[in-house]
Amino acid sequence: MLTVNNVSKLYRRGGREFAAVDGITFTVAKGGFTVISGHSGSGKSTLLNIIAGLLKPDNGTVTLDGADLTALGDRELSELRNQKIGYIPQGHSVLENLTVLENTALPFYLGKRPGGGEPYSAAKTLLTRMGIAELAGQYPAELSGGELRRASIARALINSPALLIADEPTSDLDLDNARTVMSLFADTANSGVAVIVVTHETQSLEGLTYSSIKLKSGKED
Amino acid sequence: MRRLNTLALSLRNILRRPYRTVCLAGVVALLMCVLTGGGLLTTGLRNGAESLSGRLGADALLVPAGYEHEAEGALLRGEPSAFWFDAELAERLMADVNIERATPQLFISSFDSEHCDAKVQFIGVDPATDFVVSPWLSESLPGGLRDGDIIIGSKITGKAGSFLTFFGRKYTVAAKLAETGIGFDTSVFVNMPTARTAFRDYIALGGQGGSTATTDAVSSIVVKVKRDVSLTEFSRGIRYGFRAENVGVVLTKTLFDSVSRGLESMITVITVIAAALFLAALGVLAILFSVTVNERRREFGVYRAMGATKIKLATLILTESALVSFTGAIVGAGLIALIYFSFDTAIGLAADMPYLKPNAEQIAFTLLTSFAVSLIAGPLASGFAAGRITNSVTSVLLRENA
């Protein structure tokens, strides 16, 4: 379903070129739960951004359901991201001026919807699944870090994506909350969605089944 | 549940920061006020100049030397003035060989006392010879001026059928003139017999300079010069031929040219101020929008990560700025309407030039034009910030304040 083939990304720092990601290749099947780990600066986020189509690699290809992300223009790539990829950025990403329910429904309105429809009933179902249904009408400022993260996951799932990507989703959470969030990802994978999570800690993953990719200086360790 | 389309999202975003939105809208409101105010003032001055041009159907005014300025003041601004020729001199002037048509006028300045209802300029015209005032007076009073009737200017309180007292005598208001934007708005027109009666009352009540005047005196001779005579030649001829009698010549072309020059200067000043403010407003808006957009880099990154295209992002930013501009322009329009309609008379007086209030069509045109310019100011100013953010790498945007 997702094929990452020999992907590299070069950066220049202090006049010297270095590879943030260097020849990474892997695949993730439908329903697969893949964890990319590594120390800070190992290239995890760069790789994730390339997979999400947010960053162009210098070499290699990323194919999702047969579509080569590296060859698409902005319009097609944005549409694909909206329809097929649920992306959870590092840190808080819930928009302050919308309620939790509106935040969850938002991606529905950012893409083409030729058939119309409305996302709010699906959004409510997702918030229930995430255990924050009672917070639907609240604004992000009133939520805790764990609740915000769960709202982000609900939002990433609203368009029923084939691939869910999360960048350091537990970085600012205590262990209990981190375990809850990781369990939600595992559940999502079990529902048939391919899930890729980048993390620098694996304690919260204890007891869960997942594939692991460890990065060190841009290469698979 | 509300649809989260571009307009709804933009509204939410601008309401999130009310103080900044008010500041941004305030700049646009100020721009709208200046553009509309400048436009209305310019239009009013142009109207005044056109009105003056249309009513100066003569080539020259002959007045006692030294009173040229008073004659201009009476004509342009309705400043009450009183000066006279002897009737015999007036007859000789009107008989000048270079003159094709001539008609006398008698100016009497009313008193600021219980003898007069208003301080105005009384102008006596001779319907038999008049070729300047009568044609447009007849628009208001087709039957012409009867003895004892007065036609009052638009700014004099009173209406047709009412009575006004001047020099202790009651006169019937036969008609009220439409606004002209020049001195005629504060003038009272009467026929020559009525003017003579008023003049006798003026002298009897001790009016200034009245002791030296005869009751058959005239104040000015309004002249149409023969076609084959140049105005310079005519002017020189009068000054030389009547040098002993001290006759002054006011050429209406010179007067109009002077008004036109003043008008053009004022329009230039207004245009420069409006253009400078437009650029300054654009600069301020561009800075404020740039700061706002910069603060929201991560938010825009999140939009992109959720699948918003570059065009969608730019549309969101431009819609926000258009909404701010729209609000500012509406507030500005309300403010300028309040200011303009409260002080339109004072504005005309402050201009110290012929000023005729713009009509409804001109006001609507000025408002719409200023509104359009104010409306585009926001999107124009935010265009650069929008372009910069949409061309940023999304992964970089997402790193901001993560």
Side-chain angles (χ1 to χ4, degrees):
Chain A
M1 198 205 80
L2 174 75
T3 307
V4 178
N5 184 28
N6 195 29
V7 164
S8 298
K9 181 70 183 174
L10 300 174
Y11 284 120
R12 186 174 282 276
R13 187 189 292 158
R16 291 173 60 185
E17 214 167 55
F18 73 99
V21 175
D22 191 359
I24 300 292
T25 298
F26 66 93
T27 57
V28 182
K30 188 181 174 190
F33 183 19
T34 303
V35 174
I36 301 173
S37 59
H39 294 299
S40 183
S42 59
K44 309 183 295 287
S45 293
T46 303
L47 177 61
L48 206 67
N49 285 326
I50 291 170
I51 295 168
L54 300 174
L55 195 60
K56 291 269 182 198
D58 293 314
N59 285 307
T61 56
V62 177
T63 311
L64 178 63
D65 282 346
D68 180 3
L69 273 60
T70 57
L72 297 177
D74 180 67
R75 191 186 293 261
E76 296 81 15
L77 193 54
S78 299
E79 195 61 28
L80 182 137
R81 215 160 35 228
N82 181 259
Q83 305 287 344
K84 293 197 168 183
I85 301 175
Y87 184 85
I88 301 161
Q90 195 171 349
H92 292 171
S93 62
V94 184
L95 303 181
E96 292 168 26
N97 52 326
L98 301 178
T99 63
V100 169
L101 184 64
E102 287 168 334
N103 260 287
T104 308
L106 182 58
F108 177 87
Y109 291 107
L110 295 177
K112 284 181 188 165
R113 296 286 177 273
E118 66 86 26
Y120 286 105
S121 46
K124 282 176 186 165
T125 306
L126 280 168
L127 290 178
T128 304
R129 205 170 119 196
M130 296 298 140
I132 51 170
E134 74 282 4
L135 302 175
Q138 306 290 308
Y139 281 88
E142 300 161 82
L143 271 61
S144 69
E147 289 164 343
L148 283 170
R149 202 53 45 86
R150 280 189 265 175
S152 304
I153 299 169
R155 188 179 64 190
L157 292 171
I158 189 69
N159 288 337
S160 306
L163 175 65
L164 181 68
I165 298 173
D167 189 2
E168 299 280 10
T170 58
S171 59
D172 53 354
L173 299 182
D174 58 47
L175 188 58
D176 283 346
N177 269 309
R179 281 187 172 137
T180 306
V181 168
M182 287 301 188
S183 297
L184 287 170
F185 287 130
D187 291 345
T188 304
N190 288 335
S191 71
V193 178
V195 177
I196 301 177
V197 173
V198 154
T199 183
H200 66 279
E201 60 86 25
T202 52
Q203 210 181 342
S204 57
L205 290 158
E206 282 171 10
L208 299 176
T209 307
Y210 60 91
S211 312
S212 177
I213 298 172
K214 282 190 181 173
L215 290 185
K216 188 175 181 186
S217 301
K219 291 183 178 173
E220 200 165 348
D221 193 13
Chain B
M1 284 291 172
R2 183 183 290 186
R3 281 174 56 82
L4 294 177
N5 54 21
T6 305
L7 186 64
L9 286 171
S10 301
L11 264 175
R12 293 291 192 90
N13 289 334
I14 62 170
L15 292 174
R16 186 174 62 177
R17 288 188 170 82
Y19 178 72
R20 183 168 295 168
T21 301
V22 166
C23 286
L24 287 165
V27 173
V28 178
L30 181 67
L31 179 66
M32 176 74 188
C33 282
V34 171
L35 291 179
T36 312
L40 290 175
L41 184 59
T42 304
T43 307
L45 290 170
R46 281 193 201 280
N47 286 349
E50 277 172 22
S51 174
L52 177 67
S53 164
R55 282 169 172 77
L56 286 182
D59 293 323
L61 268 73
L62 305 181
V63 296
Y67 286 97
E68 292 90 340
H69 189 68
E70 277 82 351
E72 287 178 12
L75 190 61
L76 297 180
R77 296 177 289 276
E79 291 167 358
S81 47
F83 46 85
W84 303 281
F85 284 127
D86 283 341
E88 182 269 333
L89 173 59
E91 287 297 326
R92 281 199 290 133
L93 281 168
M94 285 195 284
D96 186 89
V97 291
N98 291 328
I99 292 176
E100 186 180 302
R101 297 181 78 172
T103 185
Q105 288 185 344
L106 177 59
F107 296 165
I108 315 164
S109 170
S110 72
F111 304 138
D112 195 8
S113 73
E114 77 273 17
H115 299 296
C116 297
D117 282 341
K119 179 86 172 155
V120 298
Q121 176 74 16
F122 238 67
I123 300 178
V125 296
D126 176 13
T129 57
D130 180 63
F131 59 95
V132 178
V133 179
S134 297
W136 55 269
L137 278 188
S138 64
E139 292 170 13
S140 302
L141 193 64
L145 271 168
R146 292 177 307 180
D147 291 355
D149 282 349
I150 59 174
I151 293 185
I152 61 174
S154 65
K155 287 181 182 163
I156 298 173
T157 307
K159 58 182 180 181
S162 63
F163 297 96
L164 288 176
T165 300
F166 290 104
F167 314 108
R169 191 183 299 271
K170 223 176 216 182
Y171 293 92
T172 307
V173 177
K176 188 166 184 168
L177 295 172
E179 194 174 2
T180 63
I182 58 177
F184 294 160
D185 291 337
T186 51
S187 297
V188 169
F189 293 90
V190 293
N191 66 14
M192 204 51 98
T194 308
R196 298 273 175 235
T197 304
F199 194 41
R200 275 193 292 276
D201 293 338
Y202 172 85
I203 293 168
L205 289 168
Q208 194 183 3
S211 58
T212 60
T214 56
T215 52
D216 57 354
V218 295
S219 301
S220 75
I221 312 288
V222 183
V223 170
K224 184 85 179 166
V225 177
K226 283 182 178 170
R227 278 188 183 175
D228 56 346
V229 180
S230 77
L231 292 176
T232 314
E233 193 182 331
F234 166 75
S235 182
R236 197 183 302 126
I238 290 290
R239 286 201 179 99
Y240 182 76
F242 293 88
R243 60 189 178 279
E245 290 87 349
N246 281 329
V247 176
V249 181
V250 177
L251 294 175
T252 54
K253 185 182 181 312
T254 310
L255 185 62
F256 185 69
D257 287 348
S258 159
V259 168
S260 293
R261 275 196 302 278
L263 172 67
E264 290 311 317
S265 303
M266 195 169 269
I267 287 174
T268 304
V269 168
I270 291 169
T271 307
V272 167
I273 290 172
L277 196 99
F278 179 69
L279 291 176
L282 270 190
V284 170
L285 288 173
I287 290 167
L288 289 175
F289 278 123
S290 184
V291 168
T292 306
V293 168
N294 259 336
E295 278 180 0
R296 296 168 59 196
R297 283 169 66 83
R298 180 169 165 79
E299 177 188 329
F300 293 128
V302 171
Y303 272 108
R304 292 281 284 144
M306 286 189 288
T309 59
K310 288 182 178 182
I311 291 171
K312 177 81 178 178
L313 211 58
T315 308
L316 190 66
I317 294 169
L318 294 177
T319 305
E320 283 179 28
S321 56
L323 281 172
V324 168
S325 278
F326 181 78
T327 310
I330 290 284
V331 171
L335 269 177
I336 194 64
L338 194 68
I339 294 168
Y340 181 75
F341 290 115
S342 302
F343 301 104
D344 57 346
T345 305
I347 291 166
L349 291 173
D352 201 26
M353 289 176 73
Y355 179 85
L356 181 55
K357 273 186 272 186
N359 58 33
E361 199 176 303
Q362 290 171 324
I363 291 174
F365 177 76
T366 308
L367 266 174
L368 285 175
T369 311
S370 306
F371 195 86
V373 174
S374 302
L375 198 59
I376 61 161
L380 207 61
S382 65
F384 177 70
R388 212 175 45 179
I389 205 80
T390 52
N391 286 316
S392 298
V393 178
T394 307
S395 59
V396 174
L397 295 178
L398 286 168
R399 275 212 303 268
E400 305 273 342
N401 308 316

